[in-house]
Amino acid sequence: MLAFLLTLMLLLGIVIVLAYAERKVAAFMQDRMGPTEAGPYGSLQSVLDVLKLLQKEDIVPAAADKKLFKLAPILIFAAVFAGFAVIPFTPDLIPAGIGIGVFYLLAIISLDVVGLLMAGWGSNNKYAMLGAMRSVAQIVSYEIPAGLAILSVVMICQSLDFQEISYQQGVLLNRFPGLEFEKNWLFGIEALGINTTNIGGITTWNIFRAPLLLVAFVIYFIASLAESNRAPFDIPEAESELVAGFHVEYSGFRFAILFLAEYSMMVLVSLVAVILFLGSWNTPLPNLTTLKLANWTTGTVGELSGILWGGFWLLSKTFVLLFLQLQIRWTYPRLRVDQLMYLCWKVLTPVALVIVLLAGIWRLLMV
C-alpha cells in the first residue's frame, strides 16, 4: 500500500511538471511567453488547472451508455498505472519485483485499448467512436514493432526481469545473485579485449553492449509515441476532424483522469526505454583509472546513497526522453492514416524483425 501511494504521488508530481514544461516548451518554440501569471513564471498553472477540473460539473450525456462511459476513464488509467508496479526506480526500490516484469508490462498496458473502446462506444457520439477506433487500430499496430524491439533486448540480456536487466548495465553487475558469470564487452566484441564490467558508466549500457540495440531503441521510441497518441501520431485526437477524439464528451474529473492517463503513458514508455536501452538507474560516468566515477555516482546497495543516486539518474534520463517527446510534438506535422500504417507495417515491423534475428545470432556468438 505504501509503495502504491508513493508511486502515485511521484507520478502526479511528474505529470504536473510535465504539463507545465510542455506549455513552456511550446511557447519557446513559437516565440511566446507561455504561462506567466499563476505563480513564479507561471509555475502554478498546472496545479490550478487540476483544481479547476476537479470543481467542474461531471456531465454524462443523456444518450450515453452510462456504465461504460463512467468506467472507461478509470480502466484506462488503471491499466497504465499498473505498469509502474514492475519499474525498478533504484537498486533497492521496486514496487513489485517479479521475474517476468517485461511480460507483465506488455500484457497489462494492452488493457487500455478496451478502455478506449468503452469510452468511444459509451459516449454514443460518432466523433468519439471514430477517435476510439483510430486509437485502437494505431495502438494495436504499433505494439508489434515495440514488442519486437523489447524482445531483442530480452534475447540479449536473457531475462524478463527489469531489475536484472538494470544490473547488467552497470558496475553493480557482480553484486546481483546469479549474474556473476556475465561480462560486459565493449560493443559486444570479446576479441577487442576490453572488458567493461568494472568500467561501468555508459560503456555498459545495452545500446553499447550490442550496437544493434541502438536501432531497436529508435524503433521502440517511435512506436512509443504512437502508443501514447503523441504527435505526429495524434490522429485519434485530431481536433481539425474529430473535435477531441474519444474523450470529446468527457468533462471535469473524468477528463482529468484521461489527461492523467495520457501523460502517465508518456512517463511509463520513457522509463521502459531508459531501463531497457539507456542503463536504467546506472550512472553514465565510467571508472577512469584512479577516478572511480562510476563507483562514486552509483552509491551502495541497501543504503540511502544507492537510492538517491539511482533515482536521480533514472529520472534524469527519463526527463531527457520526455523533453524529446515535447520537442517532436511541436516540430513535426500530423501524419495521415495511410502514412501512419505504412510506417508501422512496411518500415518499422520489417526492420524490427531483422533486429530480432540479429539479436539471436549476436547472443549465440557471444556465448
Side-chain angles (χ1 to χ4, degrees):
M1 187 63 181
L2 179 60
F4 169 82
L5 292 175
L6 289 176
T7 305
L8 182 60
M9 294 301 294
L10 177 63
L11 181 60
L12 288 173
I14 293 176
V15 168
I16 288 175
V17 171
L18 187 58
Y20 170 72
E22 176 150 36
R23 292 183 172 189
K24 281 296 188 180
V25 169
F28 176 77
M29 296 183 72
Q30 298 170 358
D31 198 22
R32 297 186 288 107
M33 293 293 291
T36 57
E37 299 299 325
Y41 302 100
S43 56
L44 297 179
Q45 185 66 56
S46 298
V47 178
L48 297 179
D49 285 342
V50 172
L51 295 176
K52 179 187 71 173
L53 286 172
L54 294 179
Q55 296 178 64
K56 279 194 170 185
E57 182 181 359
D58 181 24
I59 300 174
V60 179
D65 186 321
K66 293 177 175 53
K67 291 183 179 179
L68 292 182
F69 184 85
K70 293 178 179 180
L71 183 60
I74 299 173
L75 178 60
I76 293 172
F77 176 71
V80 176
F81 184 68
F84 287 89
V86 292
I87 297 297
F89 293 99
T90 71
D92 304 291
L93 183 59
I94 178 171
I98 58 177
I100 54 170
V102 175
F103 180 77
Y104 163 84
L105 181 72
L106 292 176
I108 198 69
I109 62 175
S110 299
L111 291 177
D112 73 336
V113 171
V114 179
L116 293 173
L117 272 178
M118 289 170 59
W121 180 264
S123 297
N124 195 23
N125 179 298
K126 62 181 179 180
Y127 295 114
M129 191 60 202
L130 284 171
M133 292 174 65
R134 283 184 176 189
S135 186
V136 170
Q138 175 175 306
I139 291 174
V140 170
S141 297
Y142 276 86
E143 279 180 350
I144 305 301
L148 291 172
I150 292 173
L151 178 61
S152 63
V153 177
V154 171
M155 292 173 67
I156 287 179
C157 295
Q158 295 288 287
S159 176
L160 287 168
D161 187 345
F162 280 115
Q163 191 69 297
E164 187 172 325
I165 294 172
S166 299
Y167 271 99
Q168 288 189 32
Q169 300 179 76
V171 292
L172 295 178
L173 171 70
N174 291 325
R175 305 179 200 177
F176 192 84
L179 288 181
E180 289 81 359
F181 62 90
E182 291 281 1
K183 297 295 181 183
N184 290 319
W185 297 97
L186 186 60
F187 302 121
I189 302 174
E190 187 171 341
L192 286 177
I194 306 175
N195 184 348
T196 64
T197 304
N198 296 319
I199 297 176
I202 198 172
T203 64
T204 53
W205 292 5
N206 276 335
I207 58 173
F208 288 96
R209 295 171 65 200
L212 58 91
L213 292 184
L214 180 60
V215 180
F217 168 65
V218 174
I219 293 173
Y220 172 82
F221 184 75
I222 294 173
S224 69
L225 291 176
E227 290 274 319
S228 307
N229 287 333
R230 296 291 296 180
F233 304 102
D234 58 340
I235 295 175
E237 301 172 11
E239 68 278 354
S240 58
E241 306 166 20
L242 303 177
V243 185
F246 62 88
H247 54 70
V248 66
E249 295 287 2
Y250 285 93
S251 63
F253 175 73
R254 300 185 201 282
F255 178 80
I257 292 294
L258 291 172
F259 183 83
L260 177 62
E262 178 179 331
Y263 276 83
S264 298
M265 189 65 170
M266 290 173 58
V267 177
L268 181 60
V269 296
S270 297
L271 281 169
V272 172
V274 169
I275 293 169
L276 295 179
F277 300 99
L278 304 179
S280 187
W281 36 254
N282 290 290
T283 175
L285 305 175
N287 288 328
L288 302 173
T289 60
T290 58
L291 291 175
K292 303 296 183 181
L293 299 178
N295 294 341
W296 297 340
T297 57
T298 297
T300 304
V301 177
E303 295 184 4
L304 182 60
S305 61
I307 295 176
L308 294 179
W309 276 116
F312 171 75
W313 290 122
L314 182 73
L315 293 179
S316 297
K317 298 171 192 174
T318 302
F319 274 113
V320 170
L321 293 185
L322 289 172
F323 178 75
L324 186 58
Q325 289 188 28
L326 301 185
Q327 271 202 320
I328 289 174
R329 174 177 181 180
W330 300 103
T331 302
Y332 295 101
R334 181 181 297 127
L335 295 178
R336 298 195 311 267
V337 174
D338 61 310
Q339 293 173 328
L340 181 139
M341 290 303 174
Y342 178 89
L343 178 63
C344 175
W345 292 108
K346 293 191 175 182
V347 179
L348 297 183
T349 300
V351 174
L353 285 169
V354 173
I355 293 298
V356 170
L357 176 62
L358 293 177
I361 297 173
W362 188 282
R363 184 65 195 182
L364 288 174
L365 293 176
M366 290 303 106
V367 171

